[in-house]
């Protein structure tokens, strides 16, 4: 009989670290060392720090693997470590109350993980780990056995479309760039917000994808564009680049060929507009990130005026797999026109928040109720905002729709940044649209009139409605503004900025009208449109509301019905939440 | 370019039903304007690269609204510049700009030559339907030449581009984001540049004006006189704006051969000496340590007499000539000839060498 092997995997992605993952890891090491467990078990414990596996709401996630038997613990705190080690590792009895629940399994089981697969399994800082899962084999195959045009053909045939915004066919973009006679060519990888898990969990896949892309389009230089404050992503990518260089996967004469390729970082600051490819190029060039007019398209005239391909990290992460396993494998996943998988950030009022990867075409219902586990507190789903701030709201009635580029575009939404925010019956749809417009107005670069002024005016009109001052003519104005902005703005930000309004108005017109005609907020969110009062018959005079009220608006004697003074009430809702007898009325 | 190559690059397109030819690098806007079809544009300026920011020059190209200033003419393109749809979009674009503009044309120096005012007039926009919050800035710039009223700025970016692309200075750029976007010098300090005033020249509104000409007369009451700038040998073409027999402003014709409408700080803003009470109007001769006005005849004779005396007593090398950059090349040639031949010395130099 062989000695038992013990491996402890701790999630140290951004969320894992923020939840105290480093302390948990330290606690494991300390306890195991101090109590001499290795000697007692007769085996060495190995530790592995892994990237995000998506289920961030249950961080810190820890896998304890004894003899290939994996047990996952969720929400681990350093204080729990001693019991886990004693019960589980020493005595072979996993601690049932802390192990991952059904949610964890259903969250993962219903996903289709291609790019996120290795995240949370392998150590991002270990090239060996990546090589064990066939890392750099695809790049070697491409560079040594395939012509650039063949690589492009594979990518075209796979049907892979850009995972960033408009969903242009990646291979076609590469082909157009490759054909340009002007040299040099550049290739850029945008590591956006939603790509952080990829950079933190499996940075080598991005590097390999970028390398294959560089070979295919004839570029010798690649850029990693990333916000400087994504420290963990930057560090892990940096380590990966150094490791790849040491092995000769980057640099000159890669895999013994005459192909040379190098990668440089370009750091961005806090600007949503840098997701727009021409603005991103301006930023790399050291200028203010403002989009350029198109045409010319970047594939013809891009960075420094040279032919350039820009894709995001998710797109690049797919490349090694496509080249390695073939176009047919990839195109067998997804729908007719949208192939492969897509990563979404599932947030909002859903039970299980986190990063999810789904096959294209999966229904919204399966995502929200299957992976997400339904709505928190058993409430009714109202709508889902898909595609980030400038995406569109999809109502409950359309929950059975499958998500892909075409179907989303049909309902006025986009794949966009892959954001997915779930709203329930307690969310006011006008406030939701207002919230997104506020973000978009702040992030408008200010260059073109319709976006700069248009988003401001839309925000003002929506604010007016939520403040109970809306008029029906405001809806006509919003409609007119939306129409102008979506056709005449310079870039995608301005063109899609009206989406939150357009889609929410299409599906929730009555809620808008309730704000305007009846001066009511049906969801009870807009402060100007709600009032709190105490129902005398139900009030027991317990005094809880009185103690919770920050403005002393509630008065009354113990065991006698209390009185709420509407003039001093700031409508914070503290009394409403506190009352155990449902004696506070919100209208 | 040979005739053959030129022909190869020619494209044929239709603008409002008129068939026109263009070379392939030309923008639709340029071709249309050359054909006599006016397309309004607030951010486009012939001296700078197109940015497509104001979105006023939208036209329908093969049925899709696109900015004519950034779209290159292509073969078989079908362009409509004045469809009701385009006019509607354009009107709303002007409306949006005006909704964030002081609209105080009554007191604005730019009245009458303001491109935004022209468009407001054309589209009859008195009260913008998209009215809302306006940007309010209290700070005025303390520099001596350029009045910057950023509330009137429509963020077309012309000033930024001409400063960067033509003047090569880059004194200003956009700052902030969204509705708060603003054109300003670094860290919002006072403007501290060459003050060539190229930005003032291209500003379509009253956001940038010369401090010297504010309140000195309305555009249409001014008499324009073309002349040559007296400051240096380049001899830029300038236009003096005269009101009450005083120069109140200097501009330069855009098509001027010498300077193509561009001026320097002196040519554009340094004209007040003309009407200065301190200005020397006659030659002065110093007698008994005091300066006395003299006629040109007297002054020249006196100078000639002294030159001869000095040359005879101390030799020609006792005299040196120093010429001015404000003279033309011809003047300077004559001057050195005079020093070398008439005086007989090589002691001649020029202030521009300093």
């Amino acid at each position: 009989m062989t000695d038992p092997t013990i491996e402890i995997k701790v999630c140290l992605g951004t969320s894992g670290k923020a939840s105290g993952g480093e302390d948990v890891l330290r606690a494991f090491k300390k306890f195991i060392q101090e109590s001499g467990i290795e000697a007692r078990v007769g085996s060495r414990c190995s530790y592995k720090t892994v990237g995000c596996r998506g289920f961030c709401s249950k961080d810190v996630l820890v896998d304890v693997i004894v003899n290939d038997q994996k047990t996952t613990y969720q929400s681990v705190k350093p204080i729990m470590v001693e019991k886990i080690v004693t019960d589980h590792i020493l005595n072979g009895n996993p601690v049932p109350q802390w192990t991952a629940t059904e949610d964890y399994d259903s969250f993962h089981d219903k996903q289709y993980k291609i790019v996120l697969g290795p995240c949370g399994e392998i150590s991002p800082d270990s090239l060996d780990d990546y090589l064990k899962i066939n890392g750099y084999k695809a790049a070697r195959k491409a560079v040594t056995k395939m012509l650039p045009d063949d690589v492009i053909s594979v990518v075209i045939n796979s049907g892979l479309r850009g995972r960033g915004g408009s969903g242009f066919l990646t291979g076609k973009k590469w082909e157009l760039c490759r054909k340009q006679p002007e040299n040099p060519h550049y290739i850029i990888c945008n590591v956006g917000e939603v790509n952080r898990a990829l950079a933190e969990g499996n940075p080598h896949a991005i590097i390999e994808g970028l390398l294959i892309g560089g070979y295919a389009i004839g570029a010798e230089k690649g850029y990693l564009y990333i916000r400087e404050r994504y420290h963990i992503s930057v560090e892990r990518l940096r380590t990966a680049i150094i490791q790849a260089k040491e092995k000769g996967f980057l640099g000159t004469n890669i895999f013994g060929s005459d192909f040379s390729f190098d990668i440089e970082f370009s750091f961005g600051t806090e600007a949503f507009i840098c997701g727009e490819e021409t603005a991103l190029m301006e930023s790399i060039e050291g200028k203010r990130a403002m989009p350029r007019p198109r045409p010319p398209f970047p594939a013809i005239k891009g960075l420094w005026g040279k032919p350039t391909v820009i894709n995001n990290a998710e797109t690049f992460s797919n490349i090694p797999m496509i080249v390695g396993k073939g176009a047919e494998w990839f195109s067998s996943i997804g729908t007719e026109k949208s192939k492969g998988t897509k990563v979404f950030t599932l947030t909002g009022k859903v039970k299980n928040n986190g990063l999810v990867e789904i096959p294209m075409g999966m229904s919204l219902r399966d995502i929200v109720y299957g992976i997400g586990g339904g709505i928190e507190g058993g409430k009714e789903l109202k709508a889902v905002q898909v595609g980030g701030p400038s995406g569109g709201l999809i109502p409950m009635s359309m929950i059975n729709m499958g998500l892909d580029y075409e179907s989303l575009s049909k309902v006025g939404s986009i794949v966009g940044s892959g954001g997915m925010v779930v709203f329930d019956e307690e969310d006011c749809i006008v406030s939701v649209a207002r919230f997104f417009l506020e973000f978009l107005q702040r992030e408008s670069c200010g260059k073109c009139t319709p976006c700069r002024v248009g988003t401001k005016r839309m925000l003002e009109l929506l604010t007016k409605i939520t403040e109970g001052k809306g008029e029906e003519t405001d809806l006509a104005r919003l409609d007119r503004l939306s129409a102008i902005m979506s056709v005449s703005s310079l870039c995608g930000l301005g063109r899609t900025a009206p989406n939150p309004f357009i889609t929410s108005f299409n599906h929730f017109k009555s809620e808008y009208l309730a704000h305007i005609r009846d001066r009511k907020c049906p969801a009870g969110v807009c402060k100007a449109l709600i009032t709190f009062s105490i129902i005398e018959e139900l009030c027991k005079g317990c005094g809880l509301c009185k103690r919770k009220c920050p403005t002393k608006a509630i008065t009354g004697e113990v065991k006698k019905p209390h009185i709420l003074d509407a003039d001093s009430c700031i409508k914070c809702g503290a009394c409403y939440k506190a009352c155990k007898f449902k004696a506070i009325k919100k209208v | 370019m040979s005739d053959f190559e030129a022909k190869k690059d020619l494209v044929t397109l239709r603008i409002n039903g008129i068939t026109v030819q263009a070379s392939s690098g030309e923008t639709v806007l340029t071709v249309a304007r050359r054909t006599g079809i006016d397309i309004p544009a607030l951010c486009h300026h012939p001296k700078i690269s197109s940015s497509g920011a104001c979105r006023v020059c939208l036209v329908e190209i093969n049925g899709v609204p696109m900015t004519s200033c950034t779209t290159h003419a292509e073969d078989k393109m079908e362009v409509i510049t004045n469809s009701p749809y385009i006019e509607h979009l354009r009107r709303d674009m002007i409306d949006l700009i005006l909704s964030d503009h002081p609209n105080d044309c009554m007191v604005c120096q730019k009245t009458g030559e303001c491109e935004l005012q022209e468009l407001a007039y054309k589209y009859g926009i008195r009260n913008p339907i998209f009215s809302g919050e306006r940007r309010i800035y209290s700070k005025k710039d303390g520099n001596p030449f350029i009045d910057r009223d950023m509330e009137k700025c429509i963020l077309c970016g012309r000033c930024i581009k001409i400063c960067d692309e033509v003047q090569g200075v880059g004194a200003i750029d956009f700052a902030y984001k969204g509705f708060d976007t603003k054109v300003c010098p670094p860290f919002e300090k006072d403007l501290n540049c060459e003050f060539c005033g190229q930005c003032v020249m291209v500003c379509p509104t009253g956001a940038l004006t010369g401090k010297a000409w504010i309140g000195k007369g309305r555009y249409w009451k001014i008499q324009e006189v073309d002349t040559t700038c007296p400051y240096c040998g380049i001899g830029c073409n300038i236009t003096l704006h005269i009101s009450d027999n005083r120069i109140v402003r200097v501009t330069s014709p855009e098509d001027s051969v010498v300077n193509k409408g561009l001026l320097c700080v002196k040519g554009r803003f340094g004209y007040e000496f003309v009407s200065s009470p301190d200005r020397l109007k006659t030659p002065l001769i110093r007698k008994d340590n005091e300066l006395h006005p003299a006629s040109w005849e007297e002054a020249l004779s006196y100078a000639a007499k002294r030159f001869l005396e000095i040359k005879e007593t101390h030799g020609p090398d006792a005299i040196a000539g120093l010429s001015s950059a404000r003279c033309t090349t011809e003047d300077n040639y004559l001057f050195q000839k005079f020093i070398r031949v008439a005086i007989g010395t090589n002691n001649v130099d020029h202030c521009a060498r300093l």
Side-chain angles (χ1 to χ4, degrees):
Chain A
M1 199 179 123
T2 53
D3 286 338
T5 57
I6 298 162
E7 188 172 43
I8 294 164
K9 285 184 183 175
V10 181
C11 169
L12 283 185
T14 297
S15 172
K17 270 199 175 181
S19 310
E22 278 172 327
D23 293 338
V24 170
L25 178 65
R26 239 190 321 267
F28 269 108
K29 283 183 178 170
K30 193 166 168 241
F31 185 72
I32 287 173
Q33 199 182 10
E34 278 177 3
S35 48
I37 281 164
E38 291 185 344
R40 278 150 74 186
V41 180
S43 160
R44 260 188 69 79
C45 279
S46 62
Y47 309 94
K48 191 173 266 184
T49 60
V50 294
C52 178
R53 53 184 70 168
F55 205 20
C56 302
S57 50
K58 296 284 158 63
D59 266 325
V60 176
L61 292 162
V62 176
D63 285 346
V64 176
I65 305 161
V66 181
N67 288 342
D68 296 331
Q69 278 283 325
K70 185 170 91 176
T71 309
T72 304
Y73 291 95
Q74 64 186 28
S75 309
V76 178
K77 304 267 176 298
I79 198 166
M80 294 150 72
V81 167
E82 190 178 334
K83 191 173 167 62
I84 294 175
V85 175
T86 322
D87 288 13
H88 189 167
I89 299 179
L90 274 179
N91 300 319
N93 304 313
V95 189
Q97 66 269 38
W98 295 336
T99 50
T101 51
E102 274 173 32
D103 282 350
Y104 182 84
D105 295 330
S106 64
F107 182 81
H108 288 288
D109 292 349
K110 299 203 166 80
Q111 295 188 47
Y112 193 128
K113 293 192 175 191
I114 296 179
V115 293
L116 284 179
C119 299
E121 296 300 327
I122 65 166
S123 168
D125 289 330
S126 162
L127 176 59
D128 286 339
D129 268 22
Y130 186 61
L131 292 175
K132 270 183 216 154
I133 55 165
N134 296 325
Y136 291 102
K137 271 195 184 159
R140 186 184 294 274
K141 176 177 156 194
V143 174
T144 57
K145 296 200 179 98
M146 294 167 83
L147 291 170
D149 288 331
D150 298 338
V151 177
I152 290 175
S153 298
V154 171
V155 179
I156 291 177
N157 292 337
S158 76
L160 175 69
R161 295 165 67 170
R163 294 301 191 239
S166 58
F168 197 78
L169 266 175
T170 305
K172 286 279 173 199
K173 205 186 218 181
W174 290 15
E175 188 179 41
L176 183 62
C177 182
R178 168 151 193 90
K179 275 191 204 151
Q180 301 308 313
E182 202 174 338
N183 278 308
H185 292 189
Y186 292 109
I187 190 157
I188 302 170
C189 172
N190 180 22
V191 188
E193 177 114 42
V194 73
N195 303 143
R196 283 166 81 181
L198 297 171
E200 289 170 7
N202 191 12
H204 277 292
I206 300 172
I207 307 290
E208 188 180 358
L210 195 53
L211 172 68
I212 296 171
Y215 174 72
I217 67 154
E220 291 194 345
K221 180 143 189 194
Y223 285 89
L224 277 171
Y225 185 83
I226 183 167
R227 289 187 192 189
E228 202 166 6
R229 87 174 156 91
Y230 296 168
H231 301 294
I232 305 171
S233 301
V234 172
E235 277 323 304
R236 291 187 183 162
L237 283 165
R238 202 191 300 277
T239 307
I241 291 173
I242 293 168
Q243 290 168 342
K245 273 186 186 163
E246 278 168 3
K247 284 270 183 186
F249 301 156
L250 289 175
T252 48
N253 304 108
I254 295 166
F255 304 122
S257 71
D258 54 4
F259 171 61
S260 301
F261 188 73
D262 215 341
I263 295 174
E264 195 181 290
F265 275 103
S266 180
F267 294 115
T269 52
E270 299 303 302
F272 184 66
I273 189 64
C274 287
E276 203 285 335
E277 51 187 21
T278 58
L280 187 154
M281 292 186 304
E282 291 277 299
S283 173
I284 294 183
E285 290 180 14
K287 299 177 200 154
R288 179 183 162 100
M290 282 175 141
R292 302 173 183 169
R294 291 188 296 184
F297 289 94
I300 293 160
K301 212 171 172 195
L303 186 66
W304 315 110
K306 304 293 178 190
T308 305
V309 160
I310 301 190
N311 286 121
N312 76 1
E314 189 182 340
T315 314
F316 281 119
S317 294
N318 274 302
I319 297 293
M321 230 87 70
I322 291 170
V323 173
K325 295 188 178 180
E328 267 174 40
W329 164 78
F330 189 81
S331 63
S332 69
I333 309 160
T335 61
E336 194 198 335
K337 284 181 177 167
S338 303
K339 301 296 184 192
T341 60
K342 175 74 192 99
V343 177
F344 284 97
T345 44
L346 184 60
T347 57
K349 299 288 180 66
V350 71
K351 236 168 159 182
N352 305 327
N353 281 289
L355 205 59
V356 303
E357 184 173 352
I358 53 144
M360 288 282 188
M362 191 180 202
S363 79
L364 200 50
R365 179 184 292 277
D366 285 345
I367 301 171
V368 175
Y369 287 97
I371 300 170
I375 309 300
E376 251 180 329
K379 301 229 169 61
E380 277 281 308
L381 171 76
K382 188 168 197 174
V384 186
Q385 169 87 359
V386 180
S390 51
L393 277 158
I394 299 170
M396 174 65 185
S397 58
M398 291 162 79
I399 190 149
N400 290 325
M401 72 175 277
L403 296 191
D404 61 32
Y405 291 100
E406 278 70 32
S407 63
L408 281 170
S409 144
K410 227 182 269 170
V411 299
S413 184
I414 49 173
V415 171
S417 65
M420 193 178 276
V421 190
V422 178
F423 297 101
D424 69 13
E425 55 190 299
E426 289 185 347
D427 287 303
C428 162
I429 224 71
V430 186
S431 303
V432 165
R434 202 209 79 91
F435 171 80
F436 287 123
L437 254 301
E438 188 178 24
F439 175 83
L440 293 165
Q441 154 58 208
R442 199 169 58 231
E443 291 301 329
S444 161
C445 79
K447 184 172 179 175
C448 79
T449 312
C451 180
R452 183 187 67 244
V453 191
T455 51
K456 176 74 177 177
R457 298 294 172 247
M458 286 192 82
L459 173 62
E460 285 170 347
L461 291 167
L462 289 168
T463 307
K464 197 177 152 192
I465 296 173
T466 58
E467 285 174 350
K469 297 172 194 158
E471 298 159 57
E472 281 187 49
T473 48
D474 292 338
L475 294 175
R477 277 200 194 102
L478 280 164
D479 202 38
R480 186 159 168 178
L481 273 170
S482 306
I484 313 165
M485 288 162 67
S486 54
V487 296
S488 64
S489 295
L490 173 63
C491 81
L493 196 158
R495 283 171 186 260
T496 56
N499 283 355
F501 166 73
I502 297 174
T503 52
S504 65
F505 187 62
N506 274 348
H507 303 301
F508 299 93
K509 193 172 176 180
S510 59
E511 200 167 333
Y512 275 88
L513 291 175
H515 280 74
I516 294 169
R517 286 184 189 159
D518 314 330
R519 299 284 185 239
K520 292 269 179 261
C521 174
V525 171
C526 299
K527 279 191 183 176
L529 298 175
I530 49 171
T531 46
F532 289 90
S533 55
I534 295 173
I535 307 166
E536 215 181 305
E537 303 82 66
L538 295 177
C539 181
K540 308 271 186 235
C542 72
L544 188 59
C545 57
K546 195 170 127 185
R547 286 198 295 279
K548 291 276 178 190
C549 179
T551 58
K552 299 196 170 105
I554 298 175
T555 49
E557 289 171 35
V558 182
K559 295 193 177 167
K560 282 183 187 167
H562 284 36
I563 297 158
L564 192 153
D565 174 30
D567 289 341
S568 342
C569 174
I570 56 164
K571 297 169 185 175
C572 66
C575 54
Y576 184 77
K577 276 185 207 140
C579 182
K580 289 174 180 148
F581 309 102
K582 295 197 170 155
I584 310 269
K585 196 165 77 176
K586 180 165 83 170
V587 204
Chain B
M1 195 187 280
S2 73
D3 281 348
F4 173 72
E5 276 169 326
K7 267 178 202 151
K8 199 173 70 176
D9 279 334
L10 276 185
V11 293
T12 307
L13 63 157
R14 290 209 316 165
I15 307 181
N16 297 349
I18 305 166
T19 305
V20 285
Q21 283 206 317
S23 31
S24 62
E26 277 185 302
T27 64
V28 173
L29 181 76
T30 314
V31 182
R33 286 188 175 173
R34 202 183 53 224
T35 319
I37 296 166
D38 182 45
I39 300 173
L42 288 171
C43 68
H44 171 83
H45 193 279
K47 293 206 192 314
I48 53 175
S49 63
S50 296
S51 65
C54 73
R55 317 305 283 176
V56 170
C57 74
L58 285 170
V59 295
E60 266 182 74
I61 296 178
N62 303 331
V64 181
M66 289 172 88
T67 44
S68 57
C69 73
T70 58
T71 311
H72 287 188
E74 278 171 26
D75 223 14
K76 299 194 177 76
M77 223 178 215
E78 195 70 46
V79 183
I80 312 277
T81 71
N82 54 4
S83 67
Y85 179 50
I86 283 297
E87 290 294 353
H88 161 81
L89 287 178
R90 224 177 256 159
R91 188 227 157 267
D92 280 2
M93 218 54 71
I94 309 290
D95 189 295
L96 280 171
I97 296 172
L98 287 170
S99 74
D100 181 28
H101 194 78
N103 301 343
D104 60 354
C105 307
M106 290 88 89
V107 291
C108 182
Q109 182 64 35
K110 197 77 173 184
T111 284
E113 48 179 347
C114 172
E115 294 175 42
L116 180 61
Q117 191 187 36
E118 262 318 282
L119 290 173
Y121 173 76
K122 184 177 170 189
Y123 289 95
I125 305 168
R126 188 187 170 114
N127 296 312
I129 56 171
F130 298 122
S131 58
E133 187 192 324
R134 272 207 301 114
R135 290 164 298 153
I136 304 290
Y137 301 122
S138 55
K139 192 178 164 287
K140 296 273 169 167
D141 208 320
N143 80 76
F145 301 110
I146 299 173
D147 186 81
R148 302 172 60 240
D149 186 349
M150 288 300 106
E151 288 180 19
K152 292 179 186 168
C153 174
I154 60 165
L155 297 153
C156 66
R158 282 189 193 173
C159 53
I160 296 170
K161 285 209 164 197
I162 199 137
C163 187
D164 179 32
E165 295 174 5
V166 176
Q167 200 66 13
V169 172
I172 42 174
D173 205 340
F174 293 108
Y176 305 108
K177 288 193 285 192
F179 190 69
D180 301 326
T181 308
K182 184 182 185 184
V183 177
C184 60
F187 310 109
E188 282 201 273
K189 291 190 173 168
D190 274 4
L191 193 60
N192 183 16
C193 59
E194 302 180 353
F195 297 109
C196 65
Q198 251 62 274
C199 53
V200 178
M201 173 182 80
V202 295
C203 181
T205 70
L208 299 174
T209 331
K211 285 190 172 166
W213 61 80
I214 290 178
K216 297 280 171 60
R218 283 300 198 187
Y219 169 71
W220 54 87
K221 286 197 174 163
I222 271 160
Q223 185 197 348
E224 292 187 356
V225 179
D226 288 336
T227 181
T228 305
C229 176
Y231 268 109
C232 80
I234 291 175
C236 292
N237 301 135
I238 56 173
T239 304
L240 303 177
H241 295 229
I242 312 289
S243 172
D244 291 336
N245 207 29
R246 284 167 82 96
I247 303 171
V248 293
R249 179 178 170 188
V250 173
T251 59
S252 178
E254 257 188 40
D255 56 351
S256 63
V257 185
V258 183
N259 51 309
K260 304 189 164 38
L262 307 173
L263 289 173
C264 73
V265 57
K266 292 189 275 185
R268 193 181 303 276
F269 298 115
Y271 53 81
E272 277 177 85
F273 73 92
V274 178
S275 333
S276 167
D278 296 336
R279 184 177 158 193
L280 211 51
K281 286 178 179 156
T282 64
L284 301 172
I285 296 175
R286 194 182 296 276
K287 278 179 196 160
D288 304 327
N289 254 349
E290 262 186 45
L291 291 165
H292 297 277
S295 70
W296 280 107
E297 187 62 38
E298 273 177 277
L300 286 171
S301 309
Y302 181 71
K305 191 180 116 214
R306 289 291 295 135
F307 275 140
L308 283 171
E309 281 171 12
I310 293 165
K311 190 178 164 185
E312 238 163 63
T313 323
H314 303 286
D317 283 346
I319 299 171
L322 193 62
S323 169
S324 164
R326 289 178 65 165
C327 304
T328 61
T329 312
E330 292 83 352
D331 286 343
N332 275 315
Y333 175 80
L334 279 174
F335 182 78
Q336 63 82 31
K337 201 80 179 168
F338 168 75
I339 294 291
R340 289 200 169 105
V341 177
I343 306 284
T345 177
N346 286 327
N347 294 342
V348 61
D349 215 333
H350 184 279
C351 72
R353 264 179 27 102
L354 295 175

